[in-house]
Amino acid sequence: MDPILHIENLAIELPAGADRLFAAEGVSFEIFPGETVAIVGESGSGKSMSANAVMGLLPPGTRVAQGLATLEGVDLFRLDEAGLRAIRGRRIGMIFQEPMTALDPLMRVGEQIAEVFEAHGVFTPAERRARALELLTEVGLPEPERAIHAYPFQLSGGQRQRVMIAMALALEPVLLIADEPTTALDVTTQAQILKLIADLQAKHGTAVMFITHDFGVVADIADRVVVMRQGKVVETGAAADVLGNPQHDYTKALIAAIPTGRREAGEAAAAGERRIVLEVENLTKTYTSAGGFFRPPRVVHAVKGVTFDLARGETLGVVGESGSGKSSLGRCLVRLIEPEAGSIRIDGAETMGQSAGEMRLWRRRMQMVFQDPYGSLNPRTRVGRIIAEGPIAAGVPVKQALAEAADLLAMVGLDAAAVDRFPHEFSGGQRQRIGIARALALKPEIIIADEAVSALDVSIQAQVLRLLADLKTRLDLALVFITHDLRVAATICDRIAVMRKGEIVEMGPVAQVFGDPRHDYTKRLIAAIPGRTEGSPLVAARA
């Protein structure tokens, strides 16, 4: 059988001044009909750049310096722009990592799918709409008749990704490139998307290049694996062989960094020794959307009657799907959004009903680490000043605050000289460390970590989790850890609270919730964790 895609000795040259000469160097692999090949590696390993070279979508300043890429025997690197446009969509489809940036926010979903057909001159306008509706139905979008008229912002993350899949498969390409299509999705939505890709692949006989950094996903879907590091292929082979008996130290390190779902940080304090610092009772937050003609207002219970307590030195994991109310709960706790009912007590003192000035004092005791360090760090402010801003606002002299900022950077594993650099000069994991340092600057007793590791590579994720566990122990912190990744929650948390539609439906020690879940929703979440299916090579390797 001839390969659908053959890549040989690919080298992609980076612009002058980059951290290395080549984004990819000496890359060779093949993908056969109906096969799924997972390209695995950390950020900067050259995975996406190799895929973009195949599509002719390299960013400005980069170029293919050498190598061969043939699709069904056609040399892609010798095609002009018109030739590449004819290939894209018709013979190669691509699912991008972030559908909100890949979809046009000003075009309705149906129009964007129809645009694929229009670009290739197939079907009449009526046929294009009918085919778009058929595709939305095929990818399992609820209410496709409504979705076809929706704008991307009116859909959830999982629904937008289904639209991207529909567009990628619109002309039944022979090769589908999926670039981290499930990274930001919760476990149940991720499981649905992976099953959808597998089902559509079986139906259409499509070859799949699946780019990911999650070996759990690899274990569930891949036939073969290509491991990349700093632009080079360091290991390749059948998925069962690579996962069950990795040969390269880098592959071993990546597999070792996968959250195991087993408790690794120290045991929770005994019940009699718990020193309660935070008490939350019947916390409620609702949103009401305006109605219209013949349409009543819509009420959404973002947080509904949530009750829990938290002790010093304890980590409470809050888990659930997107829209379950996890992040709304975190924002209510620090009063970034105002709950309309309930009680939030710190060391027994009520914080609800406090004025903005009084809340500034309380916020010194409860700080937040945000999900996206790109968006939460001021790009025009040096790191030292970012960390020092809180203490300065609290009355600490500027010189002292900046000196303490340097100490905090050292505490989170960064060079003290980083105080004079800007956020864009750091990697994603380093920026998250800066976010943690900023949260610690006011010496809080409680940290709310909202999806603090969800977008990080597994190795960087493992480092940040170890850092949080270490800081919690050293500083006697209480930690509310919000995540959609149940493997991470099981690894770092003492107790788990499972949220669904704004309510806590199950709460208990990690061993009880994961070992003997009571609620059907919890059972579904655990069953959707990638890499846990019976017969998975990852499970066999860890047995």
Side-chain angles (χ1 to χ4, degrees):
M1 186 185 301
D2 293 328
I4 291 290
L5 179 70
H6 173 77
I7 294 178
E8 185 175 340
N9 201 31
L10 172 63
I12 302 171
E13 190 174 10
L14 289 169
D19 60 349
R20 62 179 191 255
L21 293 177
F22 296 99
E25 185 177 3
V27 172
S28 299
F29 61 87
E30 295 176 324
I31 305 178
F32 291 87
E35 182 183 43
T36 298
V37 174
I39 314 297
V40 191
E42 296 172 295
S43 297
S45 62
K47 311 184 302 293
S48 294
M49 289 290 273
S50 298
N52 288 337
V54 169
M55 291 287 287
L57 296 176
L58 286 174
T62 61
R63 69 181 187 91
V64 174
Q66 68 178 34
L68 179 72
T70 60
L71 181 79
E72 298 179 304
V74 176
D75 189 348
L76 298 174
F77 297 156
R78 292 184 178 275
L79 295 177
D80 59 14
E81 185 57 33
L84 284 169
R85 279 199 301 270
I87 289 284
R88 295 187 200 118
R90 184 178 286 276
R91 307 308 292 163
I92 307 176
M94 189 161 186
I95 307 169
F96 296 93
Q97 179 173 351
E98 179 44 69
M100 272 303 282
T101 59
L103 295 173
D104 189 329
L106 302 179
M107 288 181 67
R108 297 181 190 275
V109 162
E111 295 170 347
Q112 297 193 52
I113 298 174
E115 194 176 42
V116 177
F117 304 125
E118 185 179 355
H120 291 276
V122 297
F123 303 144
T124 66
E127 289 170 336
R128 290 167 190 165
R129 186 193 182 282
R131 178 59 177 148
L133 187 60
E134 183 182 335
L135 283 163
L136 292 178
T137 303
E138 187 176 10
V139 299
L141 216 66
E143 300 181 79
E145 282 281 6
R146 183 192 66 83
I148 201 170
H149 296 292
Y151 291 97
F153 70 87
Q154 295 176 305
L155 303 177
S156 70
Q159 290 172 338
R160 285 192 293 267
Q161 200 60 283
R162 288 172 186 266
V163 172
M164 285 294 305
I165 294 170
M167 293 175 66
L169 293 173
L171 292 171
E172 299 189 7
V174 295
L175 174 66
L176 178 66
I177 299 175
D179 187 3
E180 299 273 13
T182 62
T183 295
L185 302 179
D186 54 62
V187 287
T188 52
T189 305
Q190 175 177 255
Q192 293 167 11
I193 295 297
L194 294 176
K195 184 178 185 302
L196 172 62
I197 292 173
D199 289 346
L200 293 172
Q201 178 189 27
K203 179 179 179 180
H204 300 287
T206 311
V208 177
M209 179 196 297
F210 198 100
I211 298 168
T212 184
H213 64 253
D214 189 336
F215 266 107
V217 171
V218 172
D220 283 350
I221 66 164
D223 299 304
R224 288 189 299 117
V225 180
V226 176
V227 183
M228 293 186 66
R229 179 174 185 263
Q230 295 182 346
K232 298 180 179 180
V233 174
V234 297
E235 185 164 356
T236 184
D241 295 335
V242 173
L243 291 169
N245 186 27
Q247 300 300 305
H248 197 279
D249 288 344
Y250 178 69
T251 310
K252 295 175 183 177
L254 288 180
I255 293 174
I258 303 169
T260 61
R262 294 191 293 268
R263 187 74 170 84
E264 292 179 357
E267 293 299 321
E273 300 173 357
R274 296 180 74 233
R275 297 161 294 146
I276 303 299
V277 64
L278 176 66
E279 296 169 279
V280 178
E281 187 173 353
N282 291 322
L283 198 66
T284 300
K285 177 63 182 178
T286 58
Y287 294 101
T288 304
S289 62
F293 289 113
F294 309 109
R295 189 181 65 191
R298 184 182 178 218
V299 177
V300 176
H301 296 281
V303 180
K304 186 178 179 181
V306 167
T307 298
F308 67 89
D309 60 26
L310 184 67
R312 285 178 170 81
E314 182 182 44
T315 300
L316 174 68
V318 182
V319 303
E321 297 170 297
S322 298
S324 62
K326 310 184 302 295
S327 293
S328 293
L329 172 61
R331 283 164 169 73
C332 282
L333 293 178
V334 294
R335 303 279 293 282
L336 290 177
I337 56 177
E338 286 294 330
E340 58 257 10
S343 173
I344 303 172
R345 296 186 296 275
I346 299 178
D347 277 338
E350 182 61 66
T351 67
M352 289 285 284
Q354 301 287 338
S355 67
E358 291 169 325
M359 273 309 300
R360 277 197 292 271
L361 295 176
W362 286 112
R363 282 202 188 99
R364 296 180 65 174
R365 304 181 66 179
M366 190 187 317
Q367 287 287 296
M368 195 161 190
V369 180
F370 296 93
Q371 176 176 356
D372 181 12
Y374 288 90
S376 62
L377 300 176
N378 188 335
R380 295 186 175 90
T381 303
R382 297 181 190 274
V383 163
R385 186 76 187 196
I386 288 173
I387 297 171
E389 277 177 342
I392 291 170
V396 176
V398 173
K399 186 175 181 180
Q400 178 184 338
L402 289 172
E404 291 176 354
D407 292 339
L408 284 167
L409 286 170
M411 182 182 292
V412 298
L414 293 175
D415 194 307
V419 293
D420 294 321
R421 295 165 64 189
F422 291 94
H424 73 268
E425 299 179 71
F426 296 88
S427 68
Q430 289 172 327
R431 278 191 290 265
Q432 200 59 282
R433 289 171 183 264
I434 293 166
I436 294 169
R438 178 177 60 182
L440 294 172
L442 286 169
K443 301 178 175 64
E445 299 158 62
I446 305 162
I447 293 286
I448 314 294
D450 186 9
E451 298 280 13
V453 298
S454 64
L456 302 179
D457 295 322
V458 286
S459 56
I460 306 300
Q461 182 183 82
Q463 294 170 17
V464 174
L465 290 175
R466 284 195 295 269
L467 171 64
L468 286 171
D470 177 57
L471 291 173
K472 183 190 74 169
T473 303
R474 288 165 56 191
L475 304 178
D476 200 26
L477 294 171
L479 182 63
V480 177
F481 191 86
I482 298 168
T483 182
H484 67 252
D485 191 329
L486 277 75
R487 296 170 300 178
V488 171
T491 300
I492 192 175
C493 299
D494 301 297
R495 291 188 298 144
I496 297 288
V498 181
M499 288 192 72
R500 181 174 184 262
K501 295 182 178 179
E503 297 182 273
I504 292 178
V505 298
E506 183 164 358
M507 181 162 57
V510 169
Q512 182 264 303
V513 172
F514 280 82
D516 184 25
R518 308 295 169 81
H519 199 280
D520 287 343
Y521 178 69
T522 309
K523 295 175 183 177
R524 290 201 304 272
L525 290 180
I526 293 172
I529 296 174
R532 288 171 59 96
T533 55
E534 188 176 349
S536 164
L538 195 57
V539 172
R542 285 176 163 172

